């Protein structure tokens, strides 16, 4: 019999006491299990179905093998979809460095403890239903998701106008989940660039407005929370994708809770964001500039080149400050038997990098992607400032190629496409050997480790065509696996151009 009393179905099946936290209990979070939520109906073992007269016992001798499996159906579609979402999307991989956390992984501890309010409930439900429908091919969930989302839009219009220190976190999470919902239901629009076709960016602007209210009116009563910190990180990424500037009050990461290594990296990203915005403004204005303004343009470009070079050096300094455990990179080479030809669906080349845990690969993926972004920015400046400096251009292009290969080498480990097995004493080569793990499913939580680096690398102009095509193919595949339609468009002409 299940554990007596109330609680989620998972805890009842395990015969342990549930803390009854909704929508996902703390016991399931700690044990990394799917929480199937609270349900009203009694669950029976199949053997007890005969005693309760739910089933007619078959004639003949009774089998000595009793079927003690528990059979149940979710209380409703929403409960199952939310449980699926919590387990597959919010269960962060082990020991993820804070520097690579986004608002989804950063809010895992916040969602269960936040007083469950209407706007957050609707946001989580609509996103969970949309992802469940797309990944599990369950059309009925699409209808429920759409209805829930439209109800959410109505509630959000009221809730966001009455922000308080107690509900600002819930509203920020809800708005970002609304953006993720738009990403999940997105379908490419012919001949329309992604930046104009995806409505998710309008929700990012809404999150910026909420942060503005907190900054101007609520920050004195409520210092920056984990949600506020990660919301700002999300806005920085959104601005990088759109090549737009953020207001000055957003620039100080320390005010929003960044510190230590995270603050050091944050300053690099903020400076790079502002530099790229100024650069693209110059590119758009250059056709209208007259000859008299040429000297001024050269001076500005020289300054941008110096700043981009400084950012490159600052990034190297930043990565040197990470803990020693995160530096334990090992290089492996696949045999011709394991990888007859490449690039393949899972491997760009035979060269692979591994780390103590996959989460550390996310850190290095972010580092490689940022380095590529800085190098690409320098190449854009060089094309305007000194296009005849072929030696510097060749060096930067060579660096881009090398770093793109490094990024491709860490992706298989982050996605757990192979395992490391320690060789036996009788083995001719002691140490670790690579064993392919291609039959295992890629978890959405593992995919989230490399989605941002791949997004950057797949949109840069100066990445060679072959690795760029592989990055796009990886993004599209992860989009199909994780249910994000926006990522599925990575292989189309509507993809980002950074």
């Amino acid at each position: 019999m299940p554990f007596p009393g109330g609680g989620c179905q998972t805890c009842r099946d395990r015969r342990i006491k549930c803390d009854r936290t909704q929508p996902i209990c703390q016991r399931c979070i700690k044990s990394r299990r799917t929480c199937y939520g609270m349900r009203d109906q009694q669950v029976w073992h199949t053997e007890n179905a005969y005693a309760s007269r739910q089933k007619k016992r078959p004639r003949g001798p009774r089998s000595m093998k009793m079927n003690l499996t528990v059979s149940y159906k979710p209380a409703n579609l929403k409960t199952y979809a939310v449980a699926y979402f919590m387990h597959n999307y919010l269960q962060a991989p082990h020991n993820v460095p804070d520097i690579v956390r986004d608002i989804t992984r950063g809010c895992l501890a916040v969602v269960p403890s936040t007083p469950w309010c209407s706007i957050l409930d609707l946001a989580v439900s609509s996103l969970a239903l949309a992802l469940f429908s797309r990944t599990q091919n369950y059309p009925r969930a699409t209808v429920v998701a759409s209805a829930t989302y439209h109800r959410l839009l109505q509630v959000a219009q009221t809730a966001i106008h009455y922000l308080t220190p107690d509900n600002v976190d819930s509203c920020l999470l809800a708005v970002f989940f609304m953006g993720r919902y738009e990403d999940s239901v997105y379908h490419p629009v012919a001949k329309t660039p992604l930046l104009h076709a995806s409505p998710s960016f309008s929700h990012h602007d809404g999150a910026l407005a909420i942060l503005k209210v907190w900054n101007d009116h609520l920050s004195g009563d409520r210092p920056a929370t984990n949600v506020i910190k990660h919301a700002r990180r999300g806005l920085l990424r959104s601005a990088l994708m759109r090549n737009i500037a953020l207001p000055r009050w957003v620039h100080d990461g320390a005010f929003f809770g960044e510190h230590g290594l995270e603050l050091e990296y944050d300053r690099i990203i903020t400076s790079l964001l502002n530099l790229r915005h100024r650069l693209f403004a110059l590119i758009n204005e250059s056709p209208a500039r007259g000859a008299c303004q040429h000297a001024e343009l050269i001076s500005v470009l020289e300054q941008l080149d110096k700043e981009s070079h400084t950012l490159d050096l600052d990034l190297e300094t930043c990565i040197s400050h990470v803990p020693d455990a995160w530096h334990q990179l090992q290089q492996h080479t696949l045999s011709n038997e394991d990888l007859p030809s490449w690039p393949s669906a899972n491997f760009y080349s035979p060269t692979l990098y591994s780390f103590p845990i996959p989460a550390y690969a996310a850190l290095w993926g972010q580092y490689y992607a940022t380095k590529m972004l800085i190098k690409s920015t320098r190449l854009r400046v060089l094309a305007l400032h000194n296009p005849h400096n072929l030696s510097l251009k060749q060096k930067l292009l060579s660096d881009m190629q090398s770093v793109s290969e490094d990024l491709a080498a860490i992706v298989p480990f982050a996605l757990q496409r192979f395992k490391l097995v320690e060789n036996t004493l009788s083995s001719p080569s002691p140490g670790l050997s690579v064993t392919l793990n291609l039959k295992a499913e890629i978890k959405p939580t593992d995919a989230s480790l490399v989605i941002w680096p791949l997004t950057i690398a797949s949109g840069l102009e100066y990445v060679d065509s072959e690795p760029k095509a592989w990055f796009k193919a990886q993004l599209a595949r992860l989009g199909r696996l994780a249910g994000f339609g926006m990522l599925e468009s990575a292989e189309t002409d509507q993809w980002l151009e950074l």
Side-chain angles (χ1 to χ4, degrees), residues 11 29 47 153 155 162 176 197 224 232 235 287 290 325 328-329 337 344 359 423 447 473 494:
C11 290
I29 290 177
E47 178 65 21
L153 293 175
V155 172
Y162 297 97
F176 267 95
R232 176 181 168 276
L235 293 176
Q328 296 177 11
L329 179 149
E337 181 180 353
S344 69
N423 294 328
Q494 286 78 45

Side-chain angles (χ1 to χ4, degrees), residues 68 93 158 168 201 226 254 354 392-393 475 478:
L68 296 180
T158 302
V168 65
F201 293 114
N226 210 33
S354 68
L392 178 57
K393 179 180 179 180
L475 263 185
L478 296 180

Side-chain angles (χ1 to χ4, degrees), residues 434-497:
V434 174
T435 301
L436 299 186
N437 189 37
L438 303 182
K439 292 184 178 180
E441 293 184 1
I442 298 176
K443 301 176 182 178
T445 49
D446 292 332
S448 66
L449 296 175
V450 294
I451 282 178
W452 173 243
L454 289 175
T455 300
I456 292 295
S458 63
L460 293 177
E461 178 182 4
Y462 291 97
V463 179
D464 286 351
S465 58
E466 191 173 59
K468 190 172 185 177
W470 190 80
F471 292 144
K472 288 185 174 183
Q474 293 301 302
L475 263 185
R477 178 173 69 149
L478 296 180
R480 289 188 290 271
L481 291 172
F484 290 117
M486 190 180 78
L487 297 182
E488 292 185 43
S489 65
E491 293 182 294
T492 68
D493 295 335
Q494 286 78 45
W495 189 237
L496 300 170
E497 293 182 2

Side-chain angles (χ1 to χ4, degrees), residues 119 122 151-161 171 174-175 178:
I119 185 173
L122 291 169
R151 172 61 179 155
L152 169 62
L153 293 175
Q154 297 173 353
V155 172
Q157 289 179 354
T158 302
I160 293 175
H161 282 89
C171 289
V175 169
M178 290 163 71

Side-chain angles (χ1 to χ4, degrees), residues 12-29:
R12 288 165 62 87
D13 293 347
R14 297 176 64 203
R15 297 182 59 80
I16 61 174
K17 188 173 182 179
C18 179
D19 58 33
R20 308 189 70 177
T21 304
Q22 296 193 44
I24 178 171
C25 75
Q26 293 294 326
R27 281 189 175 271
C28 288
I29 290 177

Side-chain angles (χ1 to χ4, degrees), residues 389-438:
N389 191 342
L390 299 181
S391 60
L392 178 57
K393 179 180 179 180
Q394 188 58 42
K395 180 182 183 305
L396 291 173
L397 288 173
S398 177
D399 290 344
M400 284 282 288
Q401 176 67 16
S402 176
V403 178
S404 64
E405 291 174 356
D406 288 335
L407 175 58
I410 65 104
V411 171
F413 182 75
L415 299 179
Q416 301 189 47
R417 299 292 82 200
F418 68 93
K419 293 182 178 180
L420 298 177
V421 180
E422 190 167 357
N423 294 328
T424 60
L425 295 176
S426 59
S427 176
S429 56
L432 298 174
S433 61
V434 174
T435 301
L436 299 186
N437 189 37
L438 303 182

Side-chain angles (χ1 to χ4, degrees), residues 14 33 55 107 162 169 219 300 320 331 334 363 376 381 383:
R14 297 176 64 203
R33 286 178 166 83
K55 291 184 180 180
C107 74
Y162 297 97
D169 279 1
S219 57
V300 174
S320 68
Q331 183 172 325
L334 288 176
L363 167 73
S376 176
V381 174

